[in-house]
């Protein structure tokens, strides 16, 4: 006896596969699009295949920012960027303490900004944000999408304070380890808005300037090698 349409539909739903490229696992839930592994990756990193940006990944770009600071310590732009961040933190203090009706994710994001602003030097936050923009400009293939970049930006900014880390005990070694406490995607999206409002234009301008500088250095090198060939 042939199966009814309802039974066929039920079987189809039960056999839904993960949408992540190259994955042959079943979706974690009937209405989800990803398996447990890739759903977790998308929630944490902004894309199911996005790799997290670590401190060591960002270190070369932090050093680029610090070198530029050392070359031009008298420039007012450095102070202005720190003041912009400080002003954004103060705005978020008001949002976090406002007990009126408000989108809960905006309030959560505001509290995260305040947490970072009150426990991390403004200079460190500015350098981290600028470094992330440089990383995106000079190594754009590292990010699967704009959402993946924004998610990694939030993770690196929140990672500047230990207040966003939790302790857990490894059941195999019985040793204590630290792990970052995750922020839900909607709150991370709201936090991105606050960061962009304060430092987004600064990051975009510096990234574009650094790209032009890199192209100039590459062209100088090509011109030099062309001059060397003339000696042959």
């Amino acid at each position: 006896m042939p199966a009814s349409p309802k039974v066929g539909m039920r079987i189809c739903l039960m056999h839904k596969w993960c949408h992540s490229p190259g994955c042959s696992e079943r979706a974690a839930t009937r209405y989800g699009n990803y398996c447990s592994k890739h759903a977790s990756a998308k929630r944490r990193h902004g894309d199911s295949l996005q790799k997290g940006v670590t401190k060591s990944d960002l270190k070369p770009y932090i050093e680029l920012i610090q070198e530029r600071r050392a070359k031009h310590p008298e420039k007012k732009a450095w102070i202005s960027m720190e003041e912009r961040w400080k002003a954004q933190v103060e705005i978020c203090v008001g949002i976090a303490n406002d007990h009126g009706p408000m989108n809960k994710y905006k309030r959560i994001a505001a509290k995260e900004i305040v947490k970072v602003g009150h426990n991390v030097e403004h200079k460190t936050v500015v350098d981290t944000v600028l470094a992330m923009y440089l990383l995106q400009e000079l190594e754009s293939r590292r990010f699967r999408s704009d959402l993946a970049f924004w998610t990694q930006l939030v993770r690196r900014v929140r990672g500047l304070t230990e207040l966003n880390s939790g302790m857990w005990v490894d059941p195999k070694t019985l040793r204590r380890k630290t792990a970052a406490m995750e922020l839900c995607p909607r709150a991370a999206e709201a936090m991105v808005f606050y960061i962009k409002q304060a430092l987004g234009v600064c990051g975009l301008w510096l990234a574009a300037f650094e790209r032009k500088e890199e192209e100039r250095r590459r062209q100088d090198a090509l011109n030099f090698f062309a001059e060397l060939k003339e000696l042959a």
Side-chain angles (χ1 to χ4, degrees):
M1 181 176 180
S4 67
K6 291 184 178 180
V7 173
M9 184 179 296
R10 188 180 299 114
I11 293 174
C12 181
L13 288 173
M14 290 176 62
H15 287 78
K16 191 174 182 180
W17 302 105
C18 178
H19 285 196
S20 185
C23 182
S24 58
E25 297 293 327
R26 291 183 179 179
T29 63
R30 176 176 294 183
Y31 301 104
N33 293 322
Y34 299 94
C35 64
S36 298
K37 175 185 175 181
H38 289 115
S40 176
K42 189 176 189 306
R43 184 174 61 254
R44 295 180 62 197
H45 300 299
D47 187 276
S48 62
L49 297 179
Q50 176 65 42
K51 302 297 183 182
V53 174
T54 65
K55 290 182 180 180
S56 59
D57 292 333
L58 201 58
K59 185 178 178 180
Y61 298 96
I62 293 286
E63 292 175 350
L64 278 176
I65 300 297
Q66 292 174 344
E67 288 176 7
R68 195 167 291 280
R69 276 184 180 272
K71 288 180 180 179
H72 307 286
E74 75 288 350
K75 298 299 182 181
K76 294 182 180 179
W78 302 115
I79 298 176
S80 297
M81 285 188 283
E82 292 174 26
E83 289 297 325
R84 287 175 66 89
W85 172 249
K86 181 180 178 181
Q88 186 64 63
V89 172
E90 292 305 316
I91 291 173
C92 288
V93 168
I95 296 173
N97 294 332
D98 185 358
H99 298 292
M102 182 187 300
N103 182 292
K104 69 175 183 179
Y105 299 111
K106 290 184 178 180
R107 181 177 282 114
I108 292 172
K111 290 180 179 179
E112 291 295 321
I113 293 289
V114 173
K115 191 188 301 182
V116 174
H118 288 176
N119 293 279
V120 182
E121 291 184 4
H122 298 331
K123 174 183 175 182
T124 302
V125 177
V126 170
D127 288 356
T128 299
V129 173
L130 296 180
M132 281 296 296
Y133 273 91
L134 288 184
L135 176 60
Q136 183 195 35
E137 179 67 27
L138 301 179
E139 294 187 49
S140 58
R141 292 185 179 180
R142 288 186 63 99
F143 301 101
R144 303 278 303 179
S145 64
D146 288 341
L147 177 59
F149 168 70
W150 297 126
T151 304
Q152 294 306 307
L153 174 63
V154 168
R155 286 175 61 85
R156 288 271 44 95
V157 170
R158 292 183 71 241
L160 294 174
T161 172
E162 294 182 354
L163 295 177
N164 290 318
S165 298
M167 298 289 297
W168 63 285
V169 178
D170 189 329
K172 295 182 179 180
T173 63
L174 298 180
R175 292 183 179 179
R176 291 185 177 181
K177 295 186 177 182
T178 59
M181 293 186 289
E182 300 300 330
L183 195 63
C184 68
R186 290 188 181 181
E189 183 179 349
M191 189 172 175
V192 165
F193 172 79
Y194 295 136
I195 295 174
K196 288 170 64 177
Q197 198 171 43
L199 301 171
V201 65
C202 310
L204 288 172
W205 186 89
L206 187 61
F209 181 81
E210 189 63 36
R211 168 65 72 181
K212 290 180 181 178
E213 286 288 292
E214 182 182 357
E215 291 175 354
R216 182 186 60 80
R217 290 191 292 267
R218 184 182 295 111
Q219 188 59 49
D220 288 345
L222 291 175
N223 292 339
F224 175 69
F225 286 121
E227 293 170 357
L228 289 178
K229 287 182 179 180
E230 293 178 356
L231 299 177

